[in-house]
Amino acid sequence: MAYPLNREKFDISLRFWLERFFYTKLMGLTAHRVKDKLVFAQIIQDIQSGGLNSIDDIRIICKKARKIGLLGINTYASPLFTFYEYCMRLGFEDMREIHVENVQEFLSIYTTNLSLTTIRNYQFALTNFFDFIQKQNTLENGAAHVYNMELVLSNRSVSQDLPEFLTEEELNAFLQALKTYDIKQKHINVVVRLRNQLLILMIVYSGARVSEILEINYKDVSLEGDYYVLRLRGKGNKMRIVFITKTLIEDYYNEWIALRATFPRVADDMPLFINKKFRVPAQSYIYVIIENLLLSAGIRKAKNGAHLLRHSFATMLYNKSKDLILVQESLGHSSVETSRIYTHFDNQRLKHAANVISGIDNNKSHYNTEHNGGGGGRFIN
């Protein structure tokens, strides 16, 4: 179905297209993760105001969608909300005034110090947004306005920062902090503490994303000999299996399952990690808990966040196995090239490179003898 490109005002026009775009994305996301269907139905209704919602209203709607499990909306929300504010400052009066140069300028200003992954996400979100408008809009003469935003992805070179990770000593300190759980937290009780401890242990020992662990159901975890088997749903709705050695989480797991079973009307087809109101913790909440635990352990990195645990898992896995394919499969990367960054932390391999290059200096022994006074050399007693 085609919609007029412009409404009575530019800001209403842009909000209308944001709503239509978010509506389409919400309808296309994997709704099986959503437990509260009534809230989902209300979100779908609220996002169709015809551009009359304020930008803050649309933000709130997207936050509600994230809370009920539609995490994929995160890919588009932040870039497009930031772009909306940018357009308001430029003072456009017609949707046709937005050109590729404006989008490139926006990316240059607002993604300067962001990671390569985030920059690509901004580019992806904006390209998808204008491609959507291009396919859905109509002008007064019945034609459609063409944006052709492909140039947004043109020859921009960006450097990729190496990810932060924990050493084995730091990881042990973090695990000790997790065990004691001596952090400031509102509404702390035995349920919250035990749930968070097991949840974070699963992240540490599986290398899974926070979102993947939050989304697993009770039925997605099983015992196979000396291992717990976790069936995870990753990006793009791709399924994968990871194993965790039984002894690493057994006590916490058994205690949590016993406690969870006491919740009134709890069922096996519900998420593994819930509270007594059957709500799953928010991803941002787990991020804060992990950051507080890192600080409690005296660990301060440039990026002291939850993804630090995933990077630590991947780095240790590669350093101990030297198997890049194993890293790719364990982390659920679509390409081995994504996993290749962890080879930068293989110190033995890098030391070998230093040793190889040091062999080119054939005059090294002559230099040392000559500068130590010739023949026998001189020593200080």
Side-chain angles (χ1 to χ4, degrees):
M1 182 175 180
Y3 300 91
L5 179 65
N6 288 298
R7 304 267 154 166
E8 55 269 29
K9 292 182 179 180
F10 174 79
D11 58 334
I12 297 177
S13 299
L14 187 52
R15 290 200 302 272
F16 168 80
W17 285 111
L18 285 172
E19 287 185 335
R20 291 307 307 169
F21 181 72
F22 284 132
Y23 168 81
T24 302
K25 293 304 176 183
L26 288 171
M27 294 299 292
L29 291 172
T30 313
H32 76 267
R33 302 174 184 173
V34 177
K35 303 303 177 184
D36 197 329
K37 305 300 182 185
L38 290 178
V39 174
F40 183 40
Q42 188 62 51
I43 287 171
I44 294 302
Q45 181 177 334
D46 291 344
I47 199 68
Q48 301 181 78
S49 77
L52 298 181
N53 280 322
S54 70
I55 197 66
D56 288 334
D57 291 335
I58 301 174
R59 279 196 183 96
I60 292 171
I61 294 169
C62 289
K63 286 180 180 179
K64 288 179 180 178
R66 288 197 296 268
K67 285 183 178 180
I68 65 170
L70 296 168
L71 303 179
I73 204 68
N74 280 345
T75 302
Y76 309 98
S78 182
L80 292 180
F81 289 139
T82 307
F83 183 71
Y84 173 87
E85 301 294 350
Y86 174 74
C87 288
M88 291 303 102
R89 284 192 289 274
L90 289 185
F92 292 127
E93 296 183 358
D94 189 303
M95 289 292 296
R96 288 170 291 190
E97 293 178 11
I98 304 176
H99 297 288
V100 65
E101 291 81 7
N102 302 121
V103 179
Q104 289 174 325
E105 182 181 272
F106 166 79
L107 290 170
S108 297
I109 295 171
Y110 286 91
T111 65
T112 302
N113 297 317
L114 300 179
S115 68
L116 176 62
T117 300
T118 306
I119 292 172
R120 286 175 174 169
N121 183 61
Y122 267 66
Q123 294 173 330
F124 175 78
L126 285 161
T127 302
N128 271 259
F129 179 56
F130 282 102
D131 184 59
F132 172 80
I133 300 175
Q134 183 170 297
K135 292 176 180 177
Q136 297 285 327
N137 85 88
T138 182
L139 300 173
E140 295 81 359
N141 59 4
H145 181 69
V146 177
Y147 280 102
N148 189 21
M149 290 293 175
E150 294 179 3
L151 290 177
V152 175
L153 296 171
S154 63
N155 303 318
R156 184 171 183 196
S157 60
V158 290
S159 60
Q160 184 170 9
D161 295 333
L162 295 179
E164 294 277 0
F165 68 97
L166 301 177
T167 64
E168 289 194 43
E169 182 180 358
E170 289 171 331
L171 184 57
N172 285 327
F174 174 81
L175 291 172
Q176 184 60 36
L178 177 61
K179 180 179 178 180
T180 59
Y181 206 84
D182 185 20
I183 58 173
K184 295 180 180 180
Q185 182 182 349
K186 294 180 179 179
H187 312 301
I188 185 66
N189 56 50
V190 65
V191 174
V192 171
R193 173 180 169 143
L194 181 58
R195 181 200 64 197
N196 292 352
Q197 285 174 318
L198 176 61
L199 192 157
I200 294 170
L201 281 174
M202 284 187 170
I203 295 171
V204 170
Y205 291 126
S206 70
R209 301 175 181 90
V210 174
S211 60
E212 292 171 342
I213 296 298
L214 287 174
E215 291 174 14
I216 60 174
N217 286 340
Y218 171 79
K219 291 182 178 180
D220 290 330
V221 181
S222 59
L223 194 59
E224 186 176 306
D226 294 329
Y227 302 91
Y228 284 103
V229 183
L230 278 59
R231 285 168 287 279
L232 304 177
R233 191 178 302 275
K235 290 184 177 180
N237 208 28
K238 292 182 294 186
M239 296 296 299
R240 77 178 188 281
I241 291 176
V242 297
F243 289 78
I244 299 177
T245 304
K246 178 181 174 182
T247 55
L248 295 175
I249 63 171
E250 181 178 25
D251 292 342
Y252 289 93
Y253 183 78
N254 289 339
E255 190 176 349
W256 170 247
I257 294 303
L259 183 58
R260 181 182 180 277
T262 66
F263 296 178
R265 300 182 302 280
V266 71
D268 290 352
D269 61 350
M270 291 180 178
L272 176 62
F273 296 110
I274 53 177
N275 59 23
K276 291 183 178 180
K277 295 181 180 179
F278 308 122
R279 293 176 181 169
V280 177
Q283 196 167 323
S284 57
Y285 165 81
I286 300 301
Y287 287 170
V288 171
I289 298 302
I290 292 175
E291 288 176 12
N292 288 340
L293 287 167
L294 287 165
L295 293 174
S296 176
I299 298 169
R300 287 174 172 78
K301 302 282 185 177
K303 296 180 180 179
N304 228 28
H307 226 55
L308 188 63
L309 302 181
R310 179 169 164 88
H311 290 319
S312 303
F313 173 90
T315 303
M316 291 184 188
L317 179 60
Y318 179 76
N319 283 340
K320 292 179 182 295
S321 70
K322 309 302 181 188
D323 189 338
L324 204 56
I325 300 300
L326 178 61
V327 175
Q328 177 197 1
E329 293 176 349
S330 298
L331 269 65
H333 288 157
S334 58
S335 168
V336 72
E337 292 305 315
T338 308
S339 311
R340 195 174 296 281
I341 192 170
Y342 296 107
T343 64
H344 292 291
F345 306 114
D346 186 352
N347 289 338
Q348 291 304 118
R349 194 168 62 95
L350 297 175
K351 287 177 182 177
H352 176 65
N355 292 335
V356 168
I357 203 68
S358 70
I360 66 172
D361 188 357
N362 295 324
N363 297 318
K364 181 174 63 175
S365 58
H366 171 72
Y367 176 89
N368 289 339
T369 301
E370 183 180 5
H371 285 76
N372 279 306
R378 299 167 66 180
F379 298 91
I380 298 176
N381 294 323

